[in-house]
Amino acid sequence: MFKRNTNVGLLGGLLAMGLTLSGQAIAKFTADEAAELDTEAKATLEKFVVETKGAEEVFANAKGVLVCPKIRKAGAGVGAERGQCVLTSGADEKLYYLSTAIKAGAILGVASHSMILVMNTDTAMAHFTSGAREWEFGVDASVAVARIGVGGDLDTTNLKKDIVSFIFGEKGLIADVT
């Protein structure tokens, strides 16, 4: 029912020093699957706001927010990452994405995390939602990885970049030197 033919090739491509191949994927969700993803995304945003001082201000100024409630990563030499994401704001309707990446390098283990991408400019938002072609971080936009301090405070250094990535809620154990 819902589909979006856009690659969010972002997992690992942000800081990778080895080989990362991001594949284009079509996210097809039934109404029930979309509703479940919407519920998970809302809970992820709420948890982030509660645990992170300054998060509300970041979202208030955002042109768009993409939420990936759970991204799973596993590998033994070759690794793969996969997550379902929803653009919760910035478009006339919610847009759904499937993010996938394959990585080669020194990878061992299984882990998961949540990710929120905040688009801070109209240009980044328009490019992200255009659907004209595969969209890939590192090629199509400047992405800053935001740091969260021990007390939950945001490091404001990178918060004004075109796109800011918040990665949190890591679980599992994985060694990844790609």
Side-chain angles (χ1 to χ4, degrees):
M1 179 174 182
F2 300 94
K3 69 179 182 177
R4 182 72 180 170
N5 187 9
T6 303
N7 179 33
V8 188
L10 41 92
L11 310 171
L14 296 175
L15 302 173
M17 297 184 324
L19 174 65
T20 300
L21 299 175
S22 301
Q24 187 168 354
I26 298 173
K28 293 183 180 179
F29 298 96
T30 65
D32 289 341
E33 291 168 334
E36 182 178 344
L37 181 56
D38 290 343
T39 300
E40 291 172 359
K42 181 179 178 186
T44 299
L45 283 170
E46 288 172 355
K47 180 180 179 186
F48 185 76
V49 167
V50 166
E51 294 177 358
T52 309
K53 295 176 187 170
E56 291 171 332
E57 183 180 333
V58 171
F59 294 139
N61 297 320
K63 302 297 182 184
V65 177
L66 179 81
V67 181
C68 305
K70 185 178 276 185
I71 297 169
R72 293 177 180 94
K73 176 163 90 170
V78 174
E81 298 180 1
R82 180 181 167 110
Q84 296 176 337
C85 310
V86 58
L87 187 68
T88 60
S89 66
D92 293 336
E93 60 183 287
K94 289 183 181 177
L95 302 175
Y96 298 88
Y97 299 85
L98 180 61
S99 174
T100 57
I102 297 174
K103 301 167 73 173
I107 302 168
L108 181 62
V110 177
S112 67
H113 62 271
S114 298
M115 184 176 67
I116 297 173
L117 291 178
V118 176
M119 272 64 79
N120 287 319
T121 64
D122 290 326
T123 303
M125 190 62 204
H127 189 72
F128 189 81
T129 58
S130 71
R133 62 182 177 83
E134 187 172 309
W135 204 91
E136 193 168 344
F137 287 106
V139 175
D140 294 322
S142 169
V143 180
V145 178
R147 299 200 188 287
I148 302 170
V150 176
D153 293 321
L154 288 173
D155 175 358
T156 58
T157 307
N158 290 323
L159 296 182
K160 298 299 180 191
K161 298 284 186 179
D162 289 352
I163 301 173
V164 181
S165 171
F166 298 94
I167 298 172
F168 60 100
E170 295 89 352
K171 295 178 183 172
L173 182 60
I174 193 161
D176 185 352
V177 186
T178 55

